[in-house]
Amino acid sequence: MSQGENATTAKLVFYEFAWPLLVAVFEVNLYRIILELLAHILLIVITVVMVKKTSGLDDHSSGQHALYAILGLFLCVGESLLVCHSWWLGDFISENRLNLLHMVLGMVGLWLGLVGIFAKSIFKSKIHEPHFNSKHGLCGLLGFLLIAGAVASGFALVCFTHLALHVIHRLMGLCGFVLLSCSQWFALNLGFARREWSSWKIKRLRISTLAATISVVSYEFLCLCRDIVHLLPNSWFKAIGLKIDHLHN
């Protein structure tokens, strides 16, 4: 084989091997996979740490509130945002079952959060202390109301499908999770956390909470942007010279 043929063959092998690999590395789907895995791990680890600490406490007011809040308004709400567009669950579960799992997680999270809020409210009323007057309480209440609105709009979507309602449903769920994560962040500055953990452990929990929030929100935001791009008319992409098939895959 001549030197020119060897060079041509080498180029062919290089492009066949390297180009798909580079495309896979820089593809958005790869970042979605990394974000989802990181979000699942952080949500579970933070929840396990909190549950282990609160389940054995004699302080029924703060302990029960923290237990139900972390299970319902952090873990269940976060997982409900993730499972809808999961890259690996879709291979094992049908789309209808994924939507059902999303609904169940949302309803369970709302119920557990309601129990946790009532437990703290009853305790506050007994000792005549004001409730929802801190950053933790206000963010938690607003986040809970947004998740309640997301669940209600989700039930409405079961009856009839409308694009505006679907966007509102997803934005309410996303904003609700952000506010609930902020509430969790502010809770780590309160007396309950300072009594149970050292300052170093609190700092690690705050960093983990921030990382979990960024992972879940970034994942949902990427999925939302992808769905919006899919809904845009093809003429828009032709006008700016983009390949339609690549964008809609």
Side-chain angles (χ1 to χ4, degrees), residues 41-58:
I41 293 171
L42 289 172
L43 286 174
I44 293 172
V45 169
I46 294 172
T47 302
V48 169
V49 171
M50 296 291 290
V51 169
K52 286 179 66 176
K53 175 60 68 174
T54 56
S55 59
L57 291 177
D58 295 329

Side-chain angles (χ1 to χ4, degrees), residues 8 11 15 20 37 64 68 82 85-86 139 174 176 184 190 195 210 222 235 244:
T8 303
K11 288 180 180 179
Y15 282 118
L37 289 175
Q64 287 185 357
Y68 287 114
L82 294 174
H85 318 284
S86 178
C139 287
L174 185 60
Q184 168 71 14
L190 300 179
R195 286 195 308 268
L210 179 61
L222 278 177
S235 58
I244 303 169

Side-chain angles (χ1 to χ4, degrees), residues 109-124:
L110 190 66
W111 169 250
L112 291 175
L114 185 63
V115 173
I117 291 174
F118 266 115
K120 191 67 174 181
S121 298
I122 292 172
F123 175 77
K124 289 278 189 177

Side-chain angles (χ1 to χ4, degrees), residues 125-198:
S125 63
K126 287 181 179 179
I127 60 176
H128 304 289
E129 282 189 7
H131 201 195
F132 305 116
N133 62 336
S134 63
K135 294 178 181 179
H136 164 67
L138 288 174
C139 287
L141 179 61
L142 291 175
F144 177 83
L145 293 176
L146 283 174
I147 296 302
V151 171
S153 59
F155 278 114
L157 284 171
V158 174
C159 301
F160 62 94
T161 302
H162 195 278
L163 179 59
L165 182 61
H166 182 76
V167 173
I168 291 172
H169 169 73
R170 293 181 67 170
L171 289 177
M172 289 179 74
L174 185 60
C175 295
F177 178 76
V178 171
L179 285 171
L180 292 171
S181 297
C182 291
S183 178
Q184 168 71 14
W185 172 278
F186 292 131
L188 294 172
N189 293 327
L190 300 179
F192 171 76
R194 296 186 183 278
R195 286 195 308 268
E196 301 300 329
W197 290 295
S198 64

